[in-house]
Amino acid sequence: MIELKNLTKVYGKGNQAATALSGLNLSIERGEIFGVIGHSGAGKSTLIRCINLLERPSEGEVWVDGVELTGLNQKQLQEQRRKIGMIFQHFNLLSSATVYDNIAFPLRLIGTSAADVDLKVKDLLTLVGLEQHGSKYPAQLSGGQKQRVGVARALASDPDVLLCDEATSALDPQTTDSILRLLLDINKQFRLTIVLITHEMHVIQSICDRVAVIHGGGIVEQGDVAKVFLKP
Ligand code: ADP
Ligand code: ADP
């Protein structure tokens, strides 16, 4: 589903140049929950942001569902990005918009009719357990509820892939578990491929099928979670 080939990212130029990823290769199967773990500065955030080209790689290829993204023009890229939802550590919701309108936002952007927006948003509110909260503003919600809005918004365009950028790092342990359970449900229900980055082993162990350990911009180990973390 996702293939990263020889992925290299260098920020800045000359003396200021910082290599965040160097020649990284990674292959993620359709329907799996794949975790990337590593210390701060290892390159996790750069890696996940390269999968939807929020960050443009300096070298290498990004394949998602059989399409190589770095060679696309802006219009083609926008089309492909609908297949890739993303959730964030700090939720990135529009504070001046209601829960309903936050979720409707990506649908309205692509010109979805009001009636279809309404059906879809109501479905998504139910899916994430917020059917009573559509008219609230983000500031009126708990952290876990905000992330549920983030999940609903990310799923609005029926993506095949969900990218999770430290999506539970701002949440307490109990709320983290409830969001992880939601992600697992969604993965099973829609056969959605999920890629998550985290610095927390617990997150990887609770829902990931496979894991890659990233260090210094490269993958130092990868495999089934049980094999990588439960060594004899
Ligand atoms: P992680 O998510 O694992 O903490 P990052 O991908 O954020 O790692 O960062 C990897 C490396 O790239 C770090 O050395 C970081 O300082 C550097 N870096 C990240 N973003 C930028 C940027 N916008 N400009 C310059 N250097 C950056
Ligand atoms: P239209 O899309 O024709 O303007 P809608 O009924 O879809 O009409 O929504 C109008 C506005 O009402 C939305 O932008 C939203 O702010 C609010 N709204 C509609 N349904 C809900 C709901 N279930 N929960 C909260 N707000 C809603």
Side-chain angles (χ1 to χ4, degrees):
M1 186 70 201
I2 300 171
E3 291 262 7
L4 305 176
K5 296 187 185 172
N6 189 32
L7 197 66
T8 295
K9 175 68 184 184
V10 181
Y11 291 105
K13 287 203 169 95
N15 289 340
Q16 304 295 320
T19 302
L21 298 174
S22 50
L24 182 145
N25 293 292
L26 187 60
S27 178
I28 297 173
E29 306 296 326
R30 185 182 295 274
E32 75 175 328
I33 305 186
F34 194 97
V36 177
I37 191 165
H39 293 300
S40 174
K44 303 182 295 296
S45 179
T46 303
L47 169 58
I48 203 162
R49 291 163 60 84
C50 279
I51 297 175
N52 58 3
L53 296 200
L54 271 184
E55 211 65 77
R56 201 161 257 284
S58 311
E59 263 182 68
E61 297 176 0
V62 177
W63 292 80
V64 178
D65 201 15
V67 178
E68 205 282 306
L69 301 188
T70 67
L72 300 181
N73 66 34
Q74 205 54 37
K75 189 170 150 45
Q76 293 167 322
L77 180 58
Q78 268 170 18
E79 190 74 25
Q80 290 301 315
R81 273 185 176 147
R82 285 186 211 164
K83 298 183 186 171
I84 310 171
M86 189 163 189
I87 59 174
F88 305 88
Q89 179 172 5
H90 298 295
F91 323 120
N92 296 14
L93 303 178
L94 300 167
S95 58
S96 60
T98 62
V99 166
Y100 183 103
D101 289 332
N102 266 280
I103 300 169
F105 187 77
L107 294 167
R108 290 173 176 153
L109 263 189
I110 58 174
T112 308
S113 75
D116 286 345
V117 167
D118 198 52
L119 284 174
K120 186 78 194 175
V121 172
K122 282 170 182 162
D123 268 358
L124 288 164
L125 284 168
T126 304
L127 178 76
V128 302
L130 292 178
E131 50 279 67
Q132 305 304 320
H133 302 279
S135 55
K136 289 190 176 161
Y137 287 87
Q140 298 172 282
L141 303 178
S142 69
Q145 289 172 327
K146 284 182 201 164
Q147 195 57 292
R148 286 171 185 272
V149 180
V151 170
R153 179 185 55 186
L155 296 183
S157 59
D158 292 322
D160 298 319
V161 174
L162 179 65
L163 305 177
C164 310
D165 187 350
E166 296 278 6
T168 55
S169 299
L171 305 174
D172 63 51
Q174 215 177 337
T175 311
T176 292
D177 286 342
S178 81
I179 295 296
L180 294 178
R181 243 176 292 132
L182 175 64
L183 294 177
L184 194 56
D185 280 353
I186 291 166
N187 163 259
K188 299 276 175 277
Q189 196 172 333
F190 304 114
R191 201 157 174 254
L192 188 75
T193 307
I194 298 182
V195 184
L196 64 86
I197 63 165
T198 181
H199 59 279
E200 295 175 303
M201 186 100 88
H202 160 75
V203 168
I204 301 283
Q205 285 175 323
S206 50
I207 64 164
C208 292
D209 303 307
R210 288 198 302 146
V211 62
V213 181
I214 184 171
H215 183 78
I219 289 170
V220 293
E221 195 167 1
Q222 66 173 304
D224 293 345
V225 171
K227 289 200 180 121
V228 171
F229 287 135
L230 296 179
K231 288 181 185 151

